[in-house]
């Protein structure tokens, strides 16, 4: 529930650390611009499609990701695409665009379908009516998909070891440290960053070992190397300069794919399953669709485009529970948009959570209505009112990968199972790296 009044400075710090979702006020959902100067310096929250377009597209060069994001996430991801700025970012983006070309993404569909099928198979071997933590199950699934699309010849550690390290790493880096919010100097130790050190080292070593193994294979016989994301990263070159990625950049981008692509997608799926459990009619429409299109329970590449109900449910879940709940920028230089004056250094917050539930932009903003996203209706949605993957030059590079993966997983699950929320379970979103349900999502699995 949005607040009537903004929080005081101490409460705000605590809320930012524990769950930034609890800091929004009613004004944010009814006004297009809410600005002020406080703990975080001068900050403006934009929920106006025209202003958002200006910041993310028209004058994107004037808005960088800002210090706070850099400080929070730079451990491990610093030289990767998500955090890079300036020429390093431009060159990496040009070099990495082909990794996520429609052809390459389509090439990963078989792996996605296989992982989804294995998950359902494992559930089928368990007692009917069993309760599982769906958040956890989806996280396992999306991590397996990433592991197999990045390192298709296998991990040098077990997937479970890897999964544990990913979760604890994301847990620590995903929390806003009050020292970072207050701009404390770098030399003041951050407890969270200490805690993440061993996990980070585990990761770096595991990834380096796989990179070395693959480099040796490519050198010995390039044709024998699998065409997965790791080979594509090692071969990537900026078409303008011919420069490839350094070893540090390869490692940072592997970690970036895992940090940016794993929990985001798994939470999108978790929220979709939760929303469906609360909406029998929408669930029935998806069930009918998958029963007709997946006769043997497997998503074949050719049917992806026909799964319009499944896709609409995911789009609507991404609206109501956008995994990347905040997009933030900082103005490099003074800028003026109409009569809004933006001083250099001003923080701009574009919050998909607020934007997607804004009273001026959506009809019945808090209601789950997947039909908004059916092919005949979605054309009426303003491109800059719906930003689960951001927009402009820094739009999510993995968006089509994520959507293909989520549609494949959701359709496979619904084809075989009906999931219901455990009775009495209170569901509350909490913002870490991505928007996840606090305490998980216990649901009862029933075979269909
Ligand atoms: C449902 C799943 C996902 C959501 C909601 C999501 C959301 C986003 C958003 C909002 C941004 C833009 C951030 C900004 O402008 O500040 C972004 C960027 C990015 N995402 Fe995703 N993402 C998802 C899945 C993935 C996947 C699967 C991958 C890779 C395998 C990925 C890799 C990236 C990268 C590398 C960037 C940085 C792009 C750049 O700055 O050039 N994401 N994502």
């Amino acid at each position: 529930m949005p607040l009537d009044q903004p929080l005081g400075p101490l409460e705000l710090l605590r809320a930012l650390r524990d769950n930034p979702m609890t800091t929004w006020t009613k004004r944010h959902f009814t006004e297009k611009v809410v600005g002020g100067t406080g703990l975080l310096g001068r900050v403006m929250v934009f929920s106006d499609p025209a202003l958002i377009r200006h910041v993310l597209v028209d004058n994107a060069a004037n808005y960088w990701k800002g210090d706070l994001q850099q400080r929070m996430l730079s451990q491990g991801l610093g030289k990767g695409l998500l955090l890079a700025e300036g020429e390093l970012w431009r060159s990496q983006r040009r070099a990495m665009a082909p990794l996520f070309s429609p052809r390459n993404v389509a090439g990963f569909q078989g792996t996605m379908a296989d992982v989804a099928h294995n998950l359902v198979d494992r559930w089928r071997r368990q007692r009917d009516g069993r309760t599982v933590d769906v958040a956890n199950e989806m996280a396992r699934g999306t991590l397996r998909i990433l592991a197999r699309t990045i390192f298709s010849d296998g991990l040098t550690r077990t997937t479970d070891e890897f999964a544990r390290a990913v979760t604890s790493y994301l847990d620590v880096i995903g929390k806003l440290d009050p020292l970072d919010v207050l701009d404390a100097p770098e030399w003041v130790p951050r407890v969270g960053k200490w805690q993440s050190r061993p996990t980070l080292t585990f990761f770096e070593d595991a990834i380096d070992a796989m990179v070395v193994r693959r480099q040796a294979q490519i050198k010995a016989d390039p044709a024998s190397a699998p065409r997965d994301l790791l080979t594509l990263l090692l071969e990537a070159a900026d078409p303008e300069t011919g420069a490839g990625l350094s070893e540090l950049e390869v490692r940072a981008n592997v970690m970036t794919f895992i940090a940016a692509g794993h929990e985001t997608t798994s939470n999108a799926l978790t929220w979709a399953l939760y929303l469906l459990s609360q909406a029998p009619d929408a669930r029935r429409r998806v069930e009918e669709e998958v029963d007709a299109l997946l006769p043997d329970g497997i998503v074949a590449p050719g049917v992806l485009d026909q799964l319009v109900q499944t896709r609409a449910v995911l789009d609507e879940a991404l609206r109501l529970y956008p995994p990347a709940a905040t997009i933030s920028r900082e103005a490099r230089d003074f800028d003026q948009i109409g009569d809004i004056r933006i001083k250099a250094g001003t923080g701009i917050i574009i919050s998909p959570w607020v934007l997607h539930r804004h009273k001026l932009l959506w009809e019945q903003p808090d209601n789950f209505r997947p039909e908004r996203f059916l092919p005949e209706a979605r054309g009426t949605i303003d491109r800059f009112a719906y930003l689960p993957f951001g927009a402009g030059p820094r739009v999510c590079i993995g968006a089509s990968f994520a959507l293909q993966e989520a549609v494949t997983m959701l359709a496979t699950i619904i084809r075989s199972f009906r999931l219901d929320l455990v009775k009495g379970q209170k569901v509350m979103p909490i913002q870490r790296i991505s928007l996840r349900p606090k305490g998980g999502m216990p649901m009862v699995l029933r075979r269909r």
Side-chain angles (χ1 to χ4, degrees):
M1 270 298 282
L3 305 165
D4 288 322
Q5 293 297 327
L7 295 172
L10 269 182
E11 288 167 298
L12 179 65
L13 261 188
R14 199 175 307 129
L16 284 174
R17 185 197 58 197
D18 294 341
N19 188 5
M21 302 292 296
T22 56
T23 61
W24 300 115
T25 65
K26 288 187 176 150
R27 265 185 77 197
H28 289 107
F29 295 87
T30 51
E31 294 179 24
K32 290 183 167 180
V33 180
V34 178
T37 304
L39 275 179
L40 299 162
R42 174 133 188 89
V43 173
M44 301 177 99
V45 180
F46 280 1
S47 302
D48 177 6
L51 296 178
I52 292 173
R53 185 193 154 108
H54 178 92
V55 171
L56 295 183
V57 183
D58 301 341
N59 197 14
N62 189 45
Y63 295 92
W64 70 297
K65 292 211 168 179
D67 268 344
L68 186 59
Q69 254 186 92
Q70 297 280 354
R71 271 204 301 272
M72 261 182 76
L73 300 176
S74 62
Q75 272 205 350
L77 309 184
K79 287 211 177 319
L81 190 65
L82 187 69
L83 291 186
E85 289 286 341
E87 202 35 55
L88 176 64
W89 170 76
R90 262 187 296 280
S91 175
Q92 281 200 6
R93 182 93 194 194
R94 285 192 297 257
M96 286 163 58
L99 267 70
F100 295 95
S101 68
R103 198 172 127 230
N104 280 335
V105 171
F108 296 135
Q109 205 274 334
T111 301
M112 294 169 176
D114 194 45
V115 172
H117 186 246
N118 289 343
L119 173 108
V120 165
D121 235 21
R122 183 163 53 77
W123 284 357
R124 232 186 252 120
R125 288 197 297 271
Q126 297 172 359
R127 181 175 52 79
D128 204 33
R130 185 166 174 268
T131 299
V132 296
D133 178 3
V134 167
N136 203 16
E137 292 289 313
M138 295 304 105
R140 273 176 79 158
T142 59
L143 188 62
R144 254 166 228 276
I145 287 175
L146 272 177
R148 284 185 50 186
T149 47
I150 302 174
F151 310 109
S152 58
D153 53 354
L155 300 171
T156 51
R157 314 283 175 106
T158 68
T159 316
D160 283 344
E161 255 183 314
F162 212 74
R164 269 197 300 279
V166 173
T167 310
S168 63
Y169 173 61
L170 294 183
D171 227 38
V172 178
I173 63 168
K175 261 191 200 159
L176 266 177
D177 192 315
L179 290 169
D180 284 336
V181 176
L182 294 173
D183 222 356
E186 289 293 325
W187 50 263
V188 179
R190 270 70 164 168
V191 177
K193 305 274 144 109
W194 276 349
Q195 288 169 339
S196 65
R197 227 321 112 198
T199 334
L200 199 60
T201 308
F202 170 90
F203 251 165
E204 289 172 348
D205 292 350
I207 294 168
D208 287 350
M210 293 186 277
V211 170
V212 168
R213 184 172 73 183
R214 182 65 59 83
Q215 276 169 327
Q217 188 182 359
I218 294 176
K219 202 161 159 221
D221 176 13
S224 74
R227 306 304 300 159
D228 56 13
L229 287 171
L230 181 57
T231 297
L232 294 172
L233 265 179
L234 288 167
E235 287 177 356
D238 177 351
E240 284 182 22
T241 63
L245 304 182
S246 69
E247 276 180 24
L248 270 182
E249 288 171 23
V250 169
R251 184 218 273 163
N253 278 305
V254 167
M255 295 186 66
T256 297
F257 293 165
I258 295 170
H262 154 57
E263 263 214 35
T264 41
T265 317
S266 77
N267 283 321
L269 279 160
T270 303
W271 290 117
L273 286 165
Y274 159 69
L275 288 163
L276 282 176
S277 76
Q278 309 299 300
D281 287 348
R283 181 160 72 183
R284 193 176 23 75
R285 284 194 294 273
V286 178
E287 287 174 355
E288 283 166 10
E289 175 174 273
V290 297
D291 291 353
L293 292 171
L294 278 57
D296 53 3
I298 293 172
V299 178
V303 304
L304 273 173
D305 287 347
Q306 296 169 55
L307 290 165
V308 290
Q309 297 285 349
T310 314
R311 170 68 194 266
V313 163
L314 279 162
D315 289 334
E316 178 72 341
L318 287 166
R319 182 184 72 82
L320 283 168
Y321 295 96
T326 311
I327 296 173
S328 58
R329 294 290 187 269
E330 194 174 310
R332 286 183 200 281
D333 292 315
F334 172 81
D335 190 16
Q336 181 149 6
I337 321 174
D339 52 8
I340 299 175
R341 296 165 62 81
I342 300 169
K343 284 196 210 144
T346 302
I348 305 288
I349 305 281
I350 297 161
S351 161
W353 168 267
V354 172
L355 185 72
H356 293 176
R357 291 175 181 251
H358 203 282
K359 303 235 181 313
L360 299 179
L361 296 171
W362 300 90
E363 242 173 70
Q364 303 182 346
D366 295 326
N367 292 5
F368 176 58
R369 290 177 48 195
E371 56 277 16
R372 305 176 205 266
F373 289 98
L374 287 176
E376 57 276 17
R378 65 179 308 146
T380 60
I381 296 171
D382 189 318
R383 170 70 185 91
F384 293 90
Y386 180 65
L387 297 176
F389 296 103
R394 302 212 66 150
V395 68
C396 177
I397 200 168
S400 53
F401 180 101
L403 284 168
Q404 176 178 289
E405 170 182 11
V407 169
T408 302
M409 293 262 290
L410 188 61
T412 311
I413 291 169
I414 305 279
R415 175 71 179 86
S416 295
F417 282 91
R418 181 174 282 179
L419 281 73
D420 282 301
L421 190 66
V422 163
K423 279 210 174 64
Q425 173 70 21
K426 285 221 162 28
V427 173
M428 160 109 145
I430 176 166
Q431 187 177 348
R432 285 285 178 264
I433 285 281
S434 88
L435 195 65
R436 46 164 101 140
K438 190 175 180 188
M441 186 70 81
M443 297 186 89
V444 179
L445 294 181
R446 288 219 170 69
R447 279 182 214 119
R448 293 189 46 233

